[in-house]
């Protein structure tokens, strides 16, 4: 099994990823991709993941070492840090060097959701060559029949879609942009040309209509998959 490797992603000029730490370990095989902004996501990891983060968990330099230590203890393949808000901080680079965790910077021009989708497709193709077994939850969703995917989308986003149709709203587009910005209020508001308070109102309505909490990783994953389940 050759596997998907972060070193291969670095060779894609459109992604514009930059290696920042432990470049000699970027050939580790990636088994899954996991997006998180939790300060300690180790309870959700099995090892071998490419962990993607928008760095919303980081309140200051003292947060980087515990975050990286938790990932290293789970033996994840690598960490991808999004720069949608700020450049990757030096303390995170130092922590990755200390714990031997490969780190790449994901530029603001490359949404984490896009990188996740690319890795999922590659993992899916890899799994297909080894007996057609899905390797990730996104790949598993893609293997469902079209009517099952549509029903999943309806159950998760049905009220939101109906609201947009009745009120000629754009809550669905707001949700997609919010997830693409890794939940950053300021970046999302700027991209949508909205005041942050207006964005908070929209996100509140989205949470009411979907019954989901956008501060919850599990709920974000459900919403992201529902958006793609067309």
């Amino acid at each position: 099994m050759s596997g998907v490797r972060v070193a291969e992603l670095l060779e894609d000029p459109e992604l514009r990823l930059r290696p920042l730490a432990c470049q000699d370990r970027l050939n580790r095989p990636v088994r899954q991709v996991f997006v998180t902004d939790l300060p300690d996501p180790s309870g959700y990891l099995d090892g071998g993941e490419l962990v993607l983060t928008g760095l919303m968990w980081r309140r200051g330099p003292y947060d980087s070492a515990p975050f990286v230590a938790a990932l290293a203890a789970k033996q994840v393949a690598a960490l991808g840090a999004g720069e949608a808000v700020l450049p990757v901080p030096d303390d995170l680079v130092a922590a990755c060097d200390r714990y031997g965790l490969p780190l790449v910077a994901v530029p603001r021009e490359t949404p984490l959701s896009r990188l996740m989708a690319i890795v999922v497709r590659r993992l899916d193709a890899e799994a297909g060559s080894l007996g057609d077994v899905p390797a990730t939850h996104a790949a598993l969703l893609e293997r469902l029949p079209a009517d099952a995917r549509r029903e999943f989308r309806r159950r998760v986003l049905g009220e939101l879609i109906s609201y947009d149709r009745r009120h000629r709203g754009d809550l669905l587009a707001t949700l997609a942009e919010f997830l693409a910005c890794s939940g950053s209020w300021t970046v999302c508001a700027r991209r949508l040309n909205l005041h942050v308070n207006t964005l908070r109102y929209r996100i509140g309505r989205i949470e009411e209509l979907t019954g989901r909490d956008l501060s919850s990783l599990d709920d974000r994953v459900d919403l992201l998959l529902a958006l793609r389940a067309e």
Side-chain angles (χ1 to χ4, degrees):
M1 176 177 178
S2 59
V4 176
R5 300 173 192 276
V6 178
E8 298 169 357
L9 299 173
L10 288 167
E11 296 173 358
D12 187 333
E14 294 187 2
L15 294 178
R16 301 171 65 180
L17 305 181
R18 305 191 319 279
L20 297 179
C22 302
Q23 298 184 39
D24 59 327
R25 302 186 182 188
L26 288 170
N27 272 316
R28 291 175 174 177
V30 174
R31 295 178 52 249
Q32 301 180 61
V33 59
F34 183 78
V35 182
T36 184
D37 276 311
L38 294 173
D40 181 3
S42 58
Y44 299 93
L45 301 172
D46 298 315
E49 292 90 352
L50 168 60
V51 176
L52 303 178
T53 178
L55 301 177
M56 302 305 291
W57 49 266
R58 183 183 176 276
R59 295 163 297 176
Y62 48 83
D63 286 327
S64 290
F67 179 81
V68 173
L71 300 187
K74 283 291 187 174
Q75 298 184 326
V76 305
L79 173 64
E83 296 185 311
V85 180
L86 293 171
V88 177
D90 291 340
D91 49 271
L92 182 59
V93 178
C96 287
D97 278 328
R98 174 183 175 186
Y99 287 98
L101 178 63
L103 171 67
V104 297
V106 184
R108 61 184 304 174
E109 297 83 6
T110 304
L112 294 182
S113 58
R114 179 183 172 214
L115 179 56
M116 175 183 177
I118 289 172
V119 177
V120 165
R121 284 197 298 270
R122 295 190 183 186
L123 287 169
D124 196 18
E126 180 75 15
S129 68
L130 296 173
D132 207 31
V133 179
T136 68
H137 53 267
L140 184 62
L141 177 65
E142 291 178 2
R143 297 300 176 86
L144 292 175
D147 57 346
R149 293 199 303 272
R150 286 192 294 269
E151 177 62 15
F152 174 71
R153 179 180 172 86
R154 185 193 66 78
R155 291 189 180 188
V156 176
L157 298 175
E159 290 297 323
L160 190 60
I161 293 170
S162 296
Y163 180 92
D164 273 354
R165 287 174 179 169
R166 291 194 308 268
H167 300 278
R168 297 184 180 180
D170 51 7
L171 294 183
L172 198 67
T174 299
L175 172 62
E177 191 63 43
F178 187 74
L179 294 175
C181 294
S182 302
S184 171
W185 296 99
T186 53
V187 174
C188 185
R190 183 170 63 247
R191 290 187 181 180
L192 293 174
N193 196 26
L194 296 173
H195 191 280
V196 172
N197 289 342
T198 302
L199 177 61
R200 290 186 185 278
Y201 171 78
R202 288 191 184 183
I203 295 300
R205 290 294 291 142
I206 290 169
E207 291 178 328
E208 291 174 7
L209 291 165
T210 62
R212 309 288 171 139
D213 178 1
L214 276 161
S215 67
S216 162
L217 177 65
D218 288 343
D219 285 350
R220 284 194 191 186
V221 170
D222 284 346
L223 290 165
L224 180 64
L225 291 177
L227 285 168
R228 296 176 177 171
E230 295 184 274

